[in-house]
Amino acid sequence: MNRGIYTVKENRALTDSVFLMKLEGDTSSITAPGQFINISLDGFYLRRPISICDYDDKEITIIYKTVGEGTLAMSRLAAGAELDVLCGLGNGFNVAKCGEKPVLIGGGVGIPPLYNLCKKLISLGKNVTVILGFNTNSEIFYKDEFSALGADVIVTTVDGSCGVKGFVTDALINIDYDYFYTCGPMPMFRAIEKTASAGGQYSFEERMGCGFGACMGCSCKTKYGNKRICKDGPVLDREEIVW
């Protein structure tokens, strides 16, 4: 983990409520896809944890949804603004367990951390399928970006306005895979747990205080004792999760 001042290079809307931000700064503490950053915003007491969508040696891309006053304030930041950021938090996904035909399953704003994971897996020569779940066509983002990486992309919408009608599990039951990675809301996780036929990893979304394991505010029970989502997670293996 490192703390530093990062400069907003780009901040733009992808949909009515989902925004993409690029930050310039030190990325040396990022070691695995699925890690996150914690952003301090003027006028707000707690930092905002946001998953890392992609990164290189000098820039981080994040995608976030405006769900409260903090993220709304983020959406109004212009290029050149400076932010106090804790970078390289969490454990990230373990790509060593991926098998040959991994499937990546994302729901809404759980999709962004799967992008860099997809890039890593394809660079390893894996045959990657990505399932992106949304409520309706107007909410869809990053479908083309995943396709451009070389993944087989399946979109599901609850109302059937694009792709497979229904939920991510309605697509999951019809594909061949030997491992899964997923990030999204808890109801989606519970449905996947009942449907998945292989091992996998879940990246949990949780309210956090500090973001690096000091406050114990995001602890959860596992089969191997209590773990902190911000420090020991956000990624947990399927076999250790207590549902």
Side-chain angles (χ1 to χ4, degrees):
M1 180 189 77
N2 71 270
R3 177 181 179 181
I5 302 300
Y6 291 67
T7 303
V8 177
K9 181 179 179 181
E10 181 180 351
N11 193 23
R12 60 182 173 86
L14 297 179
T15 71
D16 287 345
S17 60
V18 175
F19 288 76
L20 178 148
M21 179 184 288
K22 292 187 177 183
L23 295 167
E24 290 185 323
D26 183 5
T27 64
S28 61
S29 62
I30 304 172
T31 59
Q35 291 181 289
F36 66 97
I37 63 175
N38 219 2
I39 302 173
S40 178
L41 297 169
D42 289 342
F44 296 89
Y45 179 68
L46 292 178
R47 291 175 179 265
R48 264 56 186 178
I50 307 289
S51 60
I52 296 167
C53 175
D54 200 15
Y55 69 97
D56 57 27
D57 59 356
K58 62 179 180 180
E59 186 176 284
I60 297 169
T61 299
I62 60 173
I63 294 175
Y64 61 97
K65 186 175 183 178
T66 52
V67 294
E69 292 300 319
T71 45
L72 182 60
M74 280 180 58
S75 72
R76 294 168 175 165
L77 293 173
E82 294 185 338
L83 292 171
D84 182 322
V85 175
L86 299 177
C87 185
L89 301 176
N91 62 348
F93 294 107
N94 183 348
V95 299
K97 299 181 177 183
C98 67
E100 293 302 313
K101 296 179 290 183
V103 58
L104 281 52
I105 312 163
V109 286
I111 289 169
L114 300 179
Y115 179 77
N116 186 258
L117 173 64
C118 184
K119 182 185 290 188
K120 298 285 188 185
L121 294 174
I122 287 176
S123 73
L124 294 173
K126 307 303 179 181
N127 182 10
V128 181
T129 300
V130 180
I131 302 174
L132 307 178
F134 302 93
N135 289 313
T136 188
N137 183 63
S138 63
E139 296 180 359
I140 295 173
F141 65 91
Y142 252 54
K143 173 183 178 292
D144 293 341
E145 285 80 357
F146 277 99
S147 294
L149 293 178
D152 181 15
V153 180
I154 303 170
V155 170
T156 70
T157 51
V158 176
D159 65 2
S161 54
C162 182
V164 176
K165 182 177 181 179
F167 301 99
V168 293
T169 47
D170 292 305
L172 184 63
I173 60 175
N174 293 316
I175 65 171
D176 182 27
Y177 63 98
D178 52 21
Y179 200 79
F180 72 86
Y181 297 90
T182 184
C183 185
M186 187 61 71
M188 186 187 86
F189 282 0
R190 295 187 186 279
I192 290 172
E193 184 61 21
K194 294 177 181 179
T195 306
S197 59
Q201 296 171 39
Y202 292 86
S203 180
F204 285 83
E205 301 170 342
E206 186 64 62
R207 290 187 178 275
M208 299 176 186
C210 66
F212 49 85
C215 72
M216 306 297 290
C218 60
S219 294
C220 70
K221 184 178 180 181
T222 76
K223 294 178 182 178
Y224 310 116
N226 290 330
K227 290 192 173 184
R228 299 158 294 181
I229 292 299
C230 70
K231 180 73 172 179
D232 307 307
V235 179
L236 299 178
D237 289 328
R238 182 182 190 183
E239 59 267 22
E240 68 181 306
I241 299 169
V242 176
W243 298 100

PDB file of all heavy atoms in Angstrom, residues 104 111 114-119 122 126-132 134 140-155 162:
ATOM      1  N   LEU A 104     -15.762 -15.068 -16.258  1.00  0.00           N
ATOM      2  CA  LEU A 104     -15.796 -13.889 -15.402  1.00  0.00           C
ATOM      3  C   LEU A 104     -17.231 -13.393 -15.369  1.00  0.00           C
ATOM      4  O   LEU A 104     -17.839 -13.179 -16.427  1.00  0.00           O
ATOM      5  CB  LEU A 104     -14.872 -12.799 -15.944  1.00  0.00           C
ATOM      6  CG  LEU A 104     -13.363 -12.917 -15.675  1.00  0.00           C
ATOM      7  CD1 LEU A 104     -12.805 -14.271 -16.092  1.00  0.00           C
ATOM      8  CD2 LEU A 104     -12.607 -11.798 -16.393  1.00  0.00           C
ATOM      9  N   ILE A 111     -18.488  -5.003 -12.288  1.00  0.00           N
ATOM     10  CA  ILE A 111     -17.808  -5.361 -13.539  1.00  0.00           C
ATOM     11  C   ILE A 111     -16.382  -4.800 -13.644  1.00  0.00           C
ATOM     12  O   ILE A 111     -15.476  -5.509 -14.105  1.00  0.00           O
ATOM     13  CB  ILE A 111     -18.660  -4.896 -14.738  1.00  0.00           C
ATOM     14  CG1 ILE A 111     -19.922  -5.772 -14.848  1.00  0.00           C
ATOM     15  CG2 ILE A 111     -17.869  -4.921 -16.050  1.00  0.00           C
ATOM     16  CD1 ILE A 111     -20.969  -5.247 -15.814  1.00  0.00           C
ATOM     17  N   LEU A 114     -13.050  -6.781 -13.095  1.00  0.00           N
ATOM     18  CA  LEU A 114     -12.874  -7.946 -13.952  1.00  0.00           C
ATOM     19  C   LEU A 114     -12.142  -7.600 -15.244  1.00  0.00           C
ATOM     20  O   LEU A 114     -11.653  -8.498 -15.934  1.00  0.00           O
ATOM     21  CB  LEU A 114     -14.237  -8.559 -14.284  1.00  0.00           C
ATOM     22  CG  LEU A 114     -15.074  -9.035 -13.092  1.00  0.00           C
ATOM     23  CD1 LEU A 114     -16.408  -9.584 -13.584  1.00  0.00           C
ATOM     24  CD2 LEU A 114     -14.332 -10.074 -12.276  1.00  0.00           C
ATOM     25  N   TYR A 115     -12.060  -6.313 -15.570  1.00  0.00           N
ATOM     26  CA  TYR A 115     -11.439  -5.922 -16.844  1.00  0.00           C
ATOM     27  C   TYR A 115      -9.938  -6.235 -16.856  1.00  0.00           C
ATOM     28  O   TYR A 115      -9.442  -6.894 -17.774  1.00  0.00           O
ATOM     29  CB  TYR A 115     -11.679  -4.446 -17.125  1.00  0.00           C
ATOM     30  CG  TYR A 115     -11.046  -3.993 -18.421  1.00  0.00           C
ATOM     31  CD1 TYR A 115     -11.644  -4.290 -19.645  1.00  0.00           C
ATOM     32  CD2 TYR A 115      -9.839  -3.292 -18.436  1.00  0.00           C
ATOM     33  CE1 TYR A 115     -11.057  -3.903 -20.850  1.00  0.00           C
ATOM     34  CE2 TYR A 115      -9.251  -2.902 -19.631  1.00  0.00           C
ATOM     35  CZ  TYR A 115      -9.862  -3.211 -20.831  1.00  0.00           C
ATOM     36  OH  TYR A 115      -9.272  -2.843 -22.014  1.00  0.00           O
ATOM     37  N   ASN A 116      -9.211  -5.776 -15.837  1.00  0.00           N
ATOM     38  CA  ASN A 116      -7.780  -6.064 -15.808  1.00  0.00           C
ATOM     39  C   ASN A 116      -7.533  -7.554 -15.614  1.00  0.00           C
ATOM     40  O   ASN A 116      -6.572  -8.110 -16.146  1.00  0.00           O
ATOM     41  CB  ASN A 116      -7.091  -5.262 -14.704  1.00  0.00           C
ATOM     42  CG  ASN A 116      -5.582  -5.426 -14.723  1.00  0.00           C
ATOM     43  OD1 ASN A 116      -5.031  -6.177 -13.919  1.00  0.00           O
ATOM     44  ND2 ASN A 116      -4.921  -4.744 -15.640  1.00  0.00           N
ATOM     45  N   LEU A 117      -8.422  -8.219 -14.859  1.00  0.00           N
ATOM     46  CA  LEU A 117      -8.326  -9.670 -14.719  1.00  0.00           C
ATOM     47  C   LEU A 117      -8.444 -10.346 -16.070  1.00  0.00           C
ATOM     48  O   LEU A 117      -7.671 -11.257 -16.400  1.00  0.00           O
ATOM     49  CB  LEU A 117      -9.414 -10.170 -13.769  1.00  0.00           C
ATOM     50  CG  LEU A 117      -9.565 -11.686 -13.644  1.00  0.00           C
ATOM     51  CD1 LEU A 117      -8.307 -12.308 -13.053  1.00  0.00           C
ATOM     52  CD2 LEU A 117     -10.786 -12.031 -12.799  1.00  0.00           C
ATOM     53  N   CYS A 118      -9.413  -9.935 -16.860  1.00  0.00           N
ATOM     54  CA  CYS A 118      -9.604 -10.477 -18.203  1.00  0.00           C
ATOM     55  C   CYS A 118      -8.349 -10.291 -19.047  1.00  0.00           C
ATOM     56  O   CYS A 118      -7.896 -11.213 -19.739  1.00  0.00           O
ATOM     57  CB  CYS A 118     -10.807  -9.810 -18.865  1.00  0.00           C
ATOM     58  SG  CYS A 118     -11.228 -10.464 -20.500  1.00  0.00           S
ATOM     59  N   LYS A 119      -7.781  -9.113 -18.972  1.00  0.00           N
ATOM     60  CA  LYS A 119      -6.559  -8.812 -19.719  1.00  0.00           C
ATOM     61  C   LYS A 119      -5.422  -9.760 -19.312  1.00  0.00           C
ATOM     62  O   LYS A 119      -4.694 -10.292 -20.161  1.00  0.00           O
ATOM     63  CB  LYS A 119      -6.153  -7.352 -19.478  1.00  0.00           C
ATOM     64  CG  LYS A 119      -4.912  -6.921 -20.248  1.00  0.00           C
ATOM     65  CD  LYS A 119      -4.498  -5.502 -19.872  1.00  0.00           C
ATOM     66  CE  LYS A 119      -5.454  -4.453 -20.376  1.00  0.00           C
ATOM     67  NZ  LYS A 119      -4.939  -3.077 -20.168  1.00  0.00           N
ATOM     68  N   ILE A 122      -6.149 -13.462 -20.572  1.00  0.00           N
ATOM     69  CA  ILE A 122      -5.952 -13.603 -22.012  1.00  0.00           C
ATOM     70  C   ILE A 122      -4.467 -13.572 -22.356  1.00  0.00           C
ATOM     71  O   ILE A 122      -3.997 -14.304 -23.236  1.00  0.00           O
ATOM     72  CB  ILE A 122      -6.741 -12.519 -22.767  1.00  0.00           C
ATOM     73  CG1 ILE A 122      -8.238 -12.855 -22.707  1.00  0.00           C
ATOM     74  CG2 ILE A 122      -6.274 -12.393 -24.214  1.00  0.00           C
ATOM     75  CD1 ILE A 122      -9.143 -11.837 -23.326  1.00  0.00           C
ATOM     76  N   LYS A 126      -5.501 -18.009 -21.952  1.00  0.00           N
ATOM     77  CA  LYS A 126      -6.731 -18.661 -21.522  1.00  0.00           C
ATOM     78  C   LYS A 126      -7.900 -18.314 -22.434  1.00  0.00           C
ATOM     79  O   LYS A 126      -7.954 -17.240 -23.033  1.00  0.00           O
ATOM     80  CB  LYS A 126      -7.058 -18.271 -20.073  1.00  0.00           C
ATOM     81  CG  LYS A 126      -5.917 -18.492 -19.095  1.00  0.00           C
ATOM     82  CD  LYS A 126      -5.433 -19.936 -19.074  1.00  0.00           C
ATOM     83  CE  LYS A 126      -4.278 -20.122 -18.107  1.00  0.00           C
ATOM     84  NZ  LYS A 126      -3.781 -21.534 -18.095  1.00  0.00           N
ATOM     85  N   ASN A 127      -8.857 -19.225 -22.511  1.00  0.00           N
ATOM     86  CA  ASN A 127     -10.080 -19.022 -23.291  1.00  0.00           C
ATOM     87  C   ASN A 127     -11.127 -18.430 -22.351  1.00  0.00           C
ATOM     88  O   ASN A 127     -11.790 -19.152 -21.606  1.00  0.00           O
ATOM     89  CB  ASN A 127     -10.541 -20.361 -23.864  1.00  0.00           C
ATOM     90  CG  ASN A 127     -11.772 -20.230 -24.732  1.00  0.00           C
ATOM     91  OD1 ASN A 127     -12.198 -19.121 -25.072  1.00  0.00           O
ATOM     92  ND2 ASN A 127     -12.364 -21.351 -25.078  1.00  0.00           N
ATOM     93  N   VAL A 128     -11.282 -17.112 -22.385  1.00  0.00           N
ATOM     94  CA  VAL A 128     -12.064 -16.389 -21.382  1.00  0.00           C
ATOM     95  C   VAL A 128     -13.466 -16.052 -21.896  1.00  0.00           C
ATOM     96  O   VAL A 128     -13.629 -15.504 -22.989  1.00  0.00           O
ATOM     97  CB  VAL A 128     -11.356 -15.085 -20.957  1.00  0.00           C
ATOM     98  CG1 VAL A 128     -12.162 -14.355 -19.885  1.00  0.00           C
ATOM     99  CG2 VAL A 128      -9.950 -15.386 -20.445  1.00  0.00           C
ATOM    100  N   THR A 129     -14.460 -16.381 -21.073  1.00  0.00           N
ATOM    101  CA  THR A 129     -15.828 -15.939 -21.309  1.00  0.00           C
ATOM    102  C   THR A 129     -16.196 -14.930 -20.229  1.00  0.00           C
ATOM    103  O   THR A 129     -15.851 -15.122 -19.059  1.00  0.00           O
ATOM    104  CB  THR A 129     -16.820 -17.121 -21.259  1.00  0.00           C
ATOM    105  OG1 THR A 129     -16.473 -18.071 -22.268  1.00  0.00           O
ATOM    106  CG2 THR A 129     -18.254 -16.647 -21.493  1.00  0.00           C
ATOM    107  N   VAL A 130     -16.864 -13.859 -20.616  1.00  0.00           N
ATOM    108  CA  VAL A 130     -17.278 -12.825 -19.670  1.00  0.00           C
ATOM    109  C   VAL A 130     -18.795 -12.681 -19.737  1.00  0.00           C
ATOM    110  O   VAL A 130     -19.364 -12.508 -20.817  1.00  0.00           O
ATOM    111  CB  VAL A 130     -16.620 -11.466 -19.990  1.00  0.00           C
ATOM    112  CG1 VAL A 130     -17.073 -10.401 -18.995  1.00  0.00           C
ATOM    113  CG2 VAL A 130     -15.103 -11.583 -19.966  1.00  0.00           C
ATOM    114  N   ILE A 131     -19.444 -12.762 -18.581  1.00  0.00           N
ATOM    115  CA  ILE A 131     -20.882 -12.531 -18.487  1.00  0.00           C
ATOM    116  C   ILE A 131     -21.105 -11.217 -17.750  1.00  0.00           C
ATOM    117  O   ILE A 131     -20.663 -11.049 -16.612  1.00  0.00           O
ATOM    118  CB  ILE A 131     -21.601 -13.669 -17.734  1.00  0.00           C
ATOM    119  CG1 ILE A 131     -21.349 -15.009 -18.423  1.00  0.00           C
ATOM    120  CG2 ILE A 131     -23.104 -13.393 -17.656  1.00  0.00           C
ATOM    121  CD1 ILE A 131     -21.907 -16.202 -17.660  1.00  0.00           C
ATOM    122  N   LEU A 132     -21.760 -10.275 -18.402  1.00  0.00           N
ATOM    123  CA  LEU A 132     -22.020  -8.955 -17.837  1.00  0.00           C
ATOM    124  C   LEU A 132     -23.513  -8.806 -17.586  1.00  0.00           C
ATOM    125  O   LEU A 132     -24.313  -8.884 -18.522  1.00  0.00           O
ATOM    126  CB  LEU A 132     -21.538  -7.857 -18.796  1.00  0.00           C
ATOM    127  CG  LEU A 132     -20.087  -7.957 -19.272  1.00  0.00           C
ATOM    128  CD1 LEU A 132     -19.783  -6.831 -20.264  1.00  0.00           C
ATOM    129  CD2 LEU A 132     -19.121  -7.900 -18.091  1.00  0.00           C
ATOM    130  N   PHE A 134     -26.893  -6.714 -16.301  1.00  0.00           N
ATOM    131  CA  PHE A 134     -27.479  -5.383 -16.106  1.00  0.00           C
ATOM    132  C   PHE A 134     -28.996  -5.527 -15.963  1.00  0.00           C
ATOM    133  O   PHE A 134     -29.570  -6.566 -16.278  1.00  0.00           O
ATOM    134  CB  PHE A 134     -27.170  -4.477 -17.296  1.00  0.00           C
ATOM    135  CG  PHE A 134     -25.705  -4.297 -17.582  1.00  0.00           C
ATOM    136  CD1 PHE A 134     -25.069  -5.121 -18.497  1.00  0.00           C
ATOM    137  CD2 PHE A 134     -24.970  -3.321 -16.930  1.00  0.00           C
ATOM    138  CE1 PHE A 134     -23.709  -4.974 -18.767  1.00  0.00           C
ATOM    139  CE2 PHE A 134     -23.622  -3.157 -17.191  1.00  0.00           C
ATOM    140  CZ  PHE A 134     -22.984  -3.992 -18.108  1.00  0.00           C
ATOM    141  N   ILE A 140     -25.795  -0.565 -19.821  1.00  0.00           N
ATOM    142  CA  ILE A 140     -24.648  -1.355 -20.288  1.00  0.00           C
ATOM    143  C   ILE A 140     -23.418  -0.474 -20.502  1.00  0.00           C
ATOM    144  O   ILE A 140     -23.501   0.598 -21.102  1.00  0.00           O
ATOM    145  CB  ILE A 140     -24.999  -2.090 -21.594  1.00  0.00           C
ATOM    146  CG1 ILE A 140     -26.094  -3.120 -21.322  1.00  0.00           C
ATOM    147  CG2 ILE A 140     -23.778  -2.769 -22.192  1.00  0.00           C
ATOM    148  CD1 ILE A 140     -26.632  -3.792 -22.571  1.00  0.00           C
ATOM    149  N   PHE A 141     -22.299  -0.944 -19.991  1.00  0.00           N
ATOM    150  CA  PHE A 141     -21.012  -0.278 -20.236  1.00  0.00           C
ATOM    151  C   PHE A 141     -19.909  -1.328 -20.334  1.00  0.00           C
ATOM    152  O   PHE A 141     -20.018  -2.412 -19.790  1.00  0.00           O
ATOM    153  CB  PHE A 141     -20.687   0.747 -19.148  1.00  0.00           C
ATOM    154  CG  PHE A 141     -20.470   0.144 -17.778  1.00  0.00           C
ATOM    155  CD1 PHE A 141     -19.208  -0.240 -17.363  1.00  0.00           C
ATOM    156  CD2 PHE A 141     -21.528  -0.031 -16.900  1.00  0.00           C
ATOM    157  CE1 PHE A 141     -18.999  -0.796 -16.116  1.00  0.00           C
ATOM    158  CE2 PHE A 141     -21.333  -0.576 -15.640  1.00  0.00           C
ATOM    159  CZ  PHE A 141     -20.064  -0.961 -15.235  1.00  0.00           C
ATOM    160  N   TYR A 142     -18.862  -1.007 -21.046  1.00  0.00           N
ATOM    161  CA  TYR A 142     -17.622  -1.789 -21.185  1.00  0.00           C
ATOM    162  C   TYR A 142     -17.784  -3.125 -21.916  1.00  0.00           C
ATOM    163  O   TYR A 142     -16.847  -3.928 -21.947  1.00  0.00           O
ATOM    164  CB  TYR A 142     -16.960  -1.989 -19.823  1.00  0.00           C
ATOM    165  CG  TYR A 142     -15.693  -1.152 -19.692  1.00  0.00           C
ATOM    166  CD1 TYR A 142     -15.733   0.218 -19.912  1.00  0.00           C
ATOM    167  CD2 TYR A 142     -14.466  -1.724 -19.371  1.00  0.00           C
ATOM    168  CE1 TYR A 142     -14.590   0.993 -19.822  1.00  0.00           C
ATOM    169  CE2 TYR A 142     -13.314  -0.970 -19.279  1.00  0.00           C
ATOM    170  CZ  TYR A 142     -13.378   0.394 -19.505  1.00  0.00           C
ATOM    171  OH  TYR A 142     -12.227   1.159 -19.429  1.00  0.00           O
ATOM    172  N   LYS A 143     -18.896  -3.368 -22.540  1.00  0.00           N
ATOM    173  CA  LYS A 143     -19.054  -4.584 -23.342  1.00  0.00           C
ATOM    174  C   LYS A 143     -18.025  -4.634 -24.460  1.00  0.00           C
ATOM    175  O   LYS A 143     -17.339  -5.644 -24.660  1.00  0.00           O
ATOM    176  CB  LYS A 143     -20.465  -4.639 -23.919  1.00  0.00           C
ATOM    177  CG  LYS A 143     -20.708  -5.772 -24.914  1.00  0.00           C
ATOM    178  CD  LYS A 143     -22.107  -5.698 -25.487  1.00  0.00           C
ATOM    179  CE  LYS A 143     -22.347  -6.803 -26.525  1.00  0.00           C
ATOM    180  NZ  LYS A 143     -21.539  -6.580 -27.740  1.00  0.00           N
ATOM    181  N   ASP A 144     -17.902  -3.544 -25.201  1.00  0.00           N
ATOM    182  CA  ASP A 144     -16.974  -3.515 -26.333  1.00  0.00           C
ATOM    183  C   ASP A 144     -15.523  -3.607 -25.878  1.00  0.00           C
ATOM    184  O   ASP A 144     -14.680  -4.196 -26.570  1.00  0.00           O
ATOM    185  CB  ASP A 144     -17.182  -2.241 -27.157  1.00  0.00           C
ATOM    186  CG  ASP A 144     -18.534  -2.205 -27.851  1.00  0.00           C
ATOM    187  OD1 ASP A 144     -19.147  -3.274 -28.008  1.00  0.00           O
ATOM    188  OD2 ASP A 144     -18.975  -1.095 -28.220  1.00  0.00           O
ATOM    189  N   GLU A 145     -15.211  -3.039 -24.721  1.00  0.00           N
ATOM    190  CA  GLU A 145     -13.839  -3.079 -24.214  1.00  0.00           C
ATOM    191  C   GLU A 145     -13.414  -4.505 -23.867  1.00  0.00           C
ATOM    192  O   GLU A 145     -12.278  -4.912 -24.138  1.00  0.00           O
ATOM    193  CB  GLU A 145     -13.712  -2.170 -22.986  1.00  0.00           C
ATOM    194  CG  GLU A 145     -13.680  -0.685 -23.303  1.00  0.00           C
ATOM    195  CD  GLU A 145     -15.048  -0.076 -23.573  1.00  0.00           C
ATOM    196  OE1 GLU A 145     -16.056  -0.824 -23.571  1.00  0.00           O
ATOM    197  OE2 GLU A 145     -15.122   1.147 -23.803  1.00  0.00           O
ATOM    198  N   PHE A 146     -14.321  -5.287 -23.283  1.00  0.00           N
ATOM    199  CA  PHE A 146     -14.014  -6.687 -23.012  1.00  0.00           C
ATOM    200  C   PHE A 146     -13.851  -7.468 -24.314  1.00  0.00           C
ATOM    201  O   PHE A 146     -12.957  -8.302 -24.442  1.00  0.00           O
ATOM    202  CB  PHE A 146     -15.107  -7.317 -22.149  1.00  0.00           C
ATOM    203  CG  PHE A 146     -14.974  -7.064 -20.676  1.00  0.00           C
ATOM    204  CD1 PHE A 146     -15.718  -6.062 -20.069  1.00  0.00           C
ATOM    205  CD2 PHE A 146     -14.118  -7.823 -19.901  1.00  0.00           C
ATOM    206  CE1 PHE A 146     -15.614  -5.827 -18.701  1.00  0.00           C
ATOM    207  CE2 PHE A 146     -14.005  -7.600 -18.535  1.00  0.00           C
ATOM    208  CZ  PHE A 146     -14.745  -6.593 -17.928  1.00  0.00           C
ATOM    209  N   SER A 147     -14.712  -7.193 -25.271  1.00  0.00           N
ATOM    210  CA  SER A 147     -14.622  -7.872 -26.567  1.00  0.00           C
ATOM    211  C   SER A 147     -13.293  -7.564 -27.251  1.00  0.00           C
ATOM    212  O   SER A 147     -12.686  -8.451 -27.870  1.00  0.00           O
ATOM    213  CB  SER A 147     -15.782  -7.452 -27.471  1.00  0.00           C
ATOM    214  OG  SER A 147     -17.022  -7.889 -26.961  1.00  0.00           O
ATOM    215  N   ALA A 148     -12.844  -6.330 -27.137  1.00  0.00           N
ATOM    216  CA  ALA A 148     -11.589  -5.922 -27.766  1.00  0.00           C
ATOM    217  C   ALA A 148     -10.385  -6.660 -27.184  1.00  0.00           C
ATOM    218  O   ALA A 148      -9.362  -6.806 -27.860  1.00  0.00           O
ATOM    219  CB  ALA A 148     -11.399  -4.410 -27.623  1.00  0.00           C
ATOM    220  N   LEU A 149     -10.500  -7.126 -25.958  1.00  0.00           N
ATOM    221  CA  LEU A 149      -9.409  -7.900 -25.353  1.00  0.00           C
ATOM    222  C   LEU A 149      -9.328  -9.301 -25.938  1.00  0.00           C
ATOM    223  O   LEU A 149      -8.299  -9.974 -25.813  1.00  0.00           O
ATOM    224  CB  LEU A 149      -9.613  -8.005 -23.837  1.00  0.00           C
ATOM    225  CG  LEU A 149      -9.494  -6.727 -23.022  1.00  0.00           C
ATOM    226  CD1 LEU A 149      -9.777  -7.024 -21.555  1.00  0.00           C
ATOM    227  CD2 LEU A 149      -8.120  -6.097 -23.178  1.00  0.00           C
ATOM    228  N   GLY A 150     -10.412  -9.769 -26.554  1.00  0.00           N
ATOM    229  CA  GLY A 150     -10.449 -11.106 -27.120  1.00  0.00           C
ATOM    230  C   GLY A 150     -11.328 -12.070 -26.357  1.00  0.00           C
ATOM    231  O   GLY A 150     -11.317 -13.280 -26.638  1.00  0.00           O
ATOM    232  N   ALA A 151     -12.105 -11.581 -25.403  1.00  0.00           N
ATOM    233  CA  ALA A 151     -12.996 -12.433 -24.629  1.00  0.00           C
ATOM    234  C   ALA A 151     -14.304 -12.669 -25.376  1.00  0.00           C
ATOM    235  O   ALA A 151     -14.729 -11.847 -26.197  1.00  0.00           O
ATOM    236  CB  ALA A 151     -13.285 -11.795 -23.281  1.00  0.00           C
ATOM    237  N   ASP A 152     -14.937 -13.791 -25.070  1.00  0.00           N
ATOM    238  CA  ASP A 152     -16.293 -14.063 -25.554  1.00  0.00           C
ATOM    239  C   ASP A 152     -17.251 -13.422 -24.559  1.00  0.00           C
ATOM    240  O   ASP A 152     -17.333 -13.849 -23.411  1.00  0.00           O
ATOM    241  CB  ASP A 152     -16.516 -15.570 -25.627  1.00  0.00           C
ATOM    242  CG  ASP A 152     -17.900 -15.931 -26.143  1.00  0.00           C
ATOM    243  OD1 ASP A 152     -18.577 -15.046 -26.697  1.00  0.00           O
ATOM    244  OD2 ASP A 152     -18.308 -17.095 -25.973  1.00  0.00           O
ATOM    245  N   VAL A 153     -17.967 -12.381 -24.968  1.00  0.00           N
ATOM    246  CA  VAL A 153     -18.784 -11.586 -24.055  1.00  0.00           C
ATOM    247  C   VAL A 153     -20.269 -11.911 -24.211  1.00  0.00           C
ATOM    248  O   VAL A 153     -20.800 -11.916 -25.322  1.00  0.00           O
ATOM    249  CB  VAL A 153     -18.561 -10.074 -24.280  1.00  0.00           C
ATOM    250  CG1 VAL A 153     -19.421  -9.259 -23.320  1.00  0.00           C
ATOM    251  CG2 VAL A 153     -17.082  -9.726 -24.093  1.00  0.00           C
ATOM    252  N   ILE A 154     -20.920 -12.189 -23.084  1.00  0.00           N
ATOM    253  CA  ILE A 154     -22.353 -12.426 -23.039  1.00  0.00           C
ATOM    254  C   ILE A 154     -22.985 -11.371 -22.138  1.00  0.00           C
ATOM    255  O   ILE A 154     -22.555 -11.183 -20.998  1.00  0.00           O
ATOM    256  CB  ILE A 154     -22.680 -13.822 -22.484  1.00  0.00           C
ATOM    257  CG1 ILE A 154     -21.997 -14.914 -23.318  1.00  0.00           C
ATOM    258  CG2 ILE A 154     -24.193 -14.044 -22.424  1.00  0.00           C
ATOM    259  CD1 ILE A 154     -22.079 -16.298 -22.689  1.00  0.00           C
ATOM    260  N   VAL A 155     -23.978 -10.666 -22.634  1.00  0.00           N
ATOM    261  CA  VAL A 155     -24.697  -9.667 -21.845  1.00  0.00           C
ATOM    262  C   VAL A 155     -26.046 -10.231 -21.442  1.00  0.00           C
ATOM    263  O   VAL A 155     -26.737 -10.859 -22.247  1.00  0.00           O
ATOM    264  CB  VAL A 155     -24.887  -8.363 -22.646  1.00  0.00           C
ATOM    265  CG1 VAL A 155     -25.852  -7.418 -21.932  1.00  0.00           C
ATOM    266  CG2 VAL A 155     -23.544  -7.673 -22.857  1.00  0.00           C
ATOM    267  N   CYS A 162     -31.507  -6.391 -24.044  1.00  0.00           N
ATOM    268  CA  CYS A 162     -30.262  -6.692 -24.761  1.00  0.00           C
ATOM    269  C   CYS A 162     -29.754  -8.051 -24.293  1.00  0.00           C
ATOM    270  O   CYS A 162     -29.782  -8.355 -23.099  1.00  0.00           O
ATOM    271  CB  CYS A 162     -29.215  -5.620 -24.490  1.00  0.00           C
ATOM    272  SG  CYS A 162     -27.653  -5.869 -25.388  1.00  0.00           S
TER     273      CYS A 162
END
